[in-house]
Amino acid sequence: MGSFATSETNGLNWTRAMAAALTLSPEVRAKYEAVIGLEVHVQLLTETKAFCGCANKFGAPPNTNVCPVCLGLPGALPVLNRRAVEFATLASLALNCEVRERSVFARKNYFYPDLPKGYQISQFDKPLAEFGWIEVPNGDSKKRIGITRLHMEEDAGKSLHDGLPDSATRTYVDLNRCGTPLIEIVSEPDMRTPDEAYEYLTRLKEIIVYTGVSDGNMEEGSLRCDANVSVRPRGQEKFGTKAEVKNVNSFRFIRAALEYEIERQIELVESGGRVVQETRLYNANEGRTYSMRSKEQAHDYRYFPEPDLPPLIVTEKWKTEIAARMPELPEARRARMIAEYGISEQDAHTLTATRAFADQFEAAARAAKNPRRVANLVQSELTMRLKAANLELEQSPVSMSGIALAADLAEDGKLSSKQLKQLFDLCFEKNQDFGPIYEREKPQQISDASTLERMIDDVIAANPAQVEQYRKGKKTVAAFFVGQVMKASKGQANPALLNELVTKKLDA
Ligand code: ADP
Ligand code: ZN
Ligand code: MG
């Protein structure tokens, strides 16, 4: 699960802080436009691997989830995992792609120690799906980023270069990841800024995770992104030569890497140089990219159709069955929640951060008397405290039913906002849910009308100017009196009763 606090307001500042010192003037920068296309690999959450029965799970002891098929031993034959096809198809449909009825697996040949077969099973000229898109925010409207293709392939193993006692002299290989089912999602070169790329990735991950086909966990490598970027003078139609930035392990770093790379290319062109097509690596500590290999050293994969697997047929009927499992996707869900609960766009974003969270919120919102109060409590009391305690939502001491209870107590005027805050503080301090804390504390409340009336009289007597304003028609001044009495009562006045009595007294 990603960090709970995903909202990104000052993106560019972040990016600049993380990128190496840049010397380009804004005027020169403005003469150029960047072109960005992204290639994203996503591991599928199947029980077993793509072409064998080995467990598909992260973190097992090295080389324990392997068999003759994923080790590429002679004579072993692959059998396609039906679940992987269903997941890939579901993802394709969620990304608005056209799913091809007949797609073809191909061998992508290269030599590397973590690839025992000497080739990767992938798809080449007949991928599973094509012609999709994702919408990203674009000012007040939206922009469609095209998805060229989505194809299935298998992952390679992992070379362990660091962290072992003899890492200085040896590299080890862990083949557990060999044969893990992947989808690769290739975008059109439709993005023009690092922020747009960041948005695209955020939406893509959100959709993928919502469909349940992947956990999208970048730290564990279940979502990986290569970024292609070029620059061209503004107004020129023809694309410039691109560089590909590999191995960047967070969306923020990708944005920073792109920002750096764009400026590097512009500086190069400005000083009379030429961008060469190459693969570059991003160094997050330095905020720079470095050349890894140039086009001349690029791989020739010698693709050919995989002779051990028949073409993959996804019939209309099967596709329909898979489509029927599509959950409500985040964008649609936000729109519905805004309409159904009267919450704000920003609330809707926080509340749909994960599908589980949105489910919980909706259960609480439906159980509570006023769903907007539930949303407000989540935004104000919960989010802030989770952030301060550096907790994920899943680790919150206060459950959504606890929030619903708190919302109802506030709605009925049984708790003032100050008392509510104190109870939330206690929940986090004692790591207990709202229900038990409320039962134990049962905050004192002054619900005795004559006591409250005496307090109101005192405040009215002490503030003749405000009384004057109110009687001249400025009804909002009532809130001032409520606030003053609440303060005098140390937050213990029954808010509903207090409101009623203040108005009555002022109107008297
Ligand atoms: P390659 O043949 O080098 O693999 P592709 O045409 O397959 O290149 O594109 C790979 C990725 O690079 C795609 O996401 C595509 O959108 C992007 N891309 C292609 N050309 C450019 C360009 N000139 N500038 C930026 N991105 C590009
Ligand atoms: Zn295996
Ligand atoms: Mg390509």
Side-chain angles (χ1 to χ4, degrees), residues 297-491:
Q297 303 155 283
H299 291 126
D300 176 356
Y301 294 118
R302 296 175 179 275
Y303 280 98
F304 64 87
E306 166 61 64
D308 291 338
L309 287 166
L312 168 61
I313 308 293
V314 180
T315 60
E316 223 23 68
K317 181 164 169 280
W318 195 15
K319 203 163 74 180
T320 310
E321 279 168 28
I322 295 166
R325 291 175 221 158
M326 184 74 69
E328 189 178 24
L329 294 175
E331 201 59 39
R333 187 164 196 170
R334 281 192 282 271
R336 178 181 57 73
M337 282 169 54
I338 290 169
E340 191 170 336
Y341 307 115
I343 59 179
S344 70
E345 170 106 32
Q346 203 210 334
D347 281 343
H349 267 279
T350 318
L351 297 167
T352 52
T354 68
R355 200 168 136 193
F357 185 28
D359 288 346
Q360 284 186 47
F361 164 75
E362 289 210 64
R366 285 179 178 144
K369 294 175 175 157
N370 180 353
R372 264 173 58 189
R373 213 181 259 278
V374 176
N376 286 342
L377 282 182
V378 170
Q379 286 288 50
S380 57
E381 306 303 333
L382 188 65
T383 315
M384 171 193 98
R385 285 180 178 78
L386 287 175
K387 234 187 234 174
N390 202 12
L391 291 176
E392 301 288 323
L393 180 74
E394 294 78 21
Q395 303 164 305
S396 170
V398 182
S399 69
M400 280 290 156
S401 56
I403 297 265
L405 172 67
D408 279 356
L409 288 165
E411 185 73 13
D412 291 344
K414 291 192 179 130
L415 283 178
S416 70
S417 58
K418 181 163 180 202
Q419 289 171 329
L420 212 57
K421 278 185 202 303
Q422 285 167 343
L423 291 176
F424 269 96
D425 280 340
L426 277 176
C427 292
F428 274 76
E429 234 173 85
K430 313 248 184 242
N431 195 25
Q432 275 187 318
D433 206 348
F434 193 87
I437 292 281
Y438 174 74
E439 281 309 314
R440 208 179 57 223
E441 297 294 317
K442 273 279 156 61
Q444 295 248 351
Q445 195 169 55
I446 306 173
S447 296
D448 172 50
S450 58
T451 310
L452 286 179
E453 275 170 342
R454 248 179 287 127
M455 299 173 91
I456 297 168
D457 288 339
D458 289 348
V459 173
I460 285 182
N463 298 282
Q466 279 83 353
V467 176
E468 186 66 18
Q469 282 180 350
Y470 182 88
R471 297 206 165 130
K472 278 188 178 147
K474 199 172 172 205
K475 299 290 175 199
T476 50
V477 178
F480 164 80
F481 289 97
V482 170
Q484 292 297 308
V485 177
M486 196 49 101
K487 206 164 139 193
S489 76
K490 300 196 170 60

Side-chain angles (χ1 to χ4, degrees), residues 49 52-54 65-71 178:
K49 292 184 180 181
C52 64
C54 290
N65 290 331
V66 290
C67 75
V69 174
C70 54
L71 290 176
C178 279

Side-chain angles (χ1 to χ4, degrees), residues 122-135:
S122 181
Q123 293 184 313
F124 184 50
D125 54 348
K126 294 196 171 59
L128 177 69
E130 296 169 291
F131 313 122
W133 47 265
I134 290 180
E135 268 177 347

